[in-house]
Amino acid sequence: MERVLGIGGYFLRAADPAALTAWYRDRLGLDIDDHGLWQQQAGPTVFAAFESGTDYFGSRAQQTMLNFRVRDLDAMLAQLRAAGADVAEETQDMDGVGRFGWVTDPEGNRIELWQPA
């Protein structure tokens, strides 16, 4: 059986694609080229389905949530707050898994930030 090798892309609709791309580059540090290609660091990726009524993604209209691995969650959240980003006040700790925080991009998409254990 053939198997997928990893996530090959994540695509977002946007009212202003150039501005949203710039936000991800400037606020989250995505080092992407003119074609959107990003060479990410090796590490774990979680694939999980949630109940349809979950509030975990923020708005119920949001069908998926992007999760980025980060080295230092507190530093990333402070950086985002200093830049005026919409950062959730709460964080979550899961034993053996890591720490989580959330930011909402300018188009209203909730993003999870994960500092693995």
Side-chain angles (χ1 to χ4, degrees):
M1 174 180 156
E2 281 296 315
R3 298 182 186 279
V4 298
L5 302 175
I7 295 174
Y10 189 81
F11 307 99
L12 300 165
R13 295 179 198 269
D16 186 341
L20 189 60
T21 298
W23 186 88
Y24 277 83
R25 183 188 61 240
D26 299 342
R27 298 292 179 262
L28 296 178
L30 261 67
D31 186 17
I32 54 178
D33 70 13
D34 293 339
H35 303 288
L37 187 62
W38 171 43
Q39 297 293 332
Q40 62 182 306
Q41 293 182 5
T45 299
V46 175
F47 181 89
F50 285 71
E51 293 290 331
S52 63
T54 187
D55 291 324
Y56 194 71
F57 299 177
S59 166
R60 293 233 175 142
Q62 185 173 330
Q63 294 296 305
T64 65
M65 183 170 61
L66 183 56
N67 171 299
F68 287 115
R69 281 179 275 117
V70 299
R71 183 184 59 79
D72 184 331
L73 180 64
D74 292 327
M76 176 61 84
L77 295 175
Q79 172 182 298
L80 288 163
R81 283 188 182 103
D86 180 7
V87 178
E89 288 299 320
E90 76 277 1
T91 59
Q92 181 182 21
D93 296 295
M94 290 183 70
D95 286 339
V97 177
R99 298 184 60 231
F100 299 89
W102 299 270
V103 62
T104 301
D105 75 17
E107 296 270 344
N109 302 296
R110 182 173 162 114
I111 301 161
E112 185 168 68
L113 304 170
W114 171 34
Q115 179 182 323

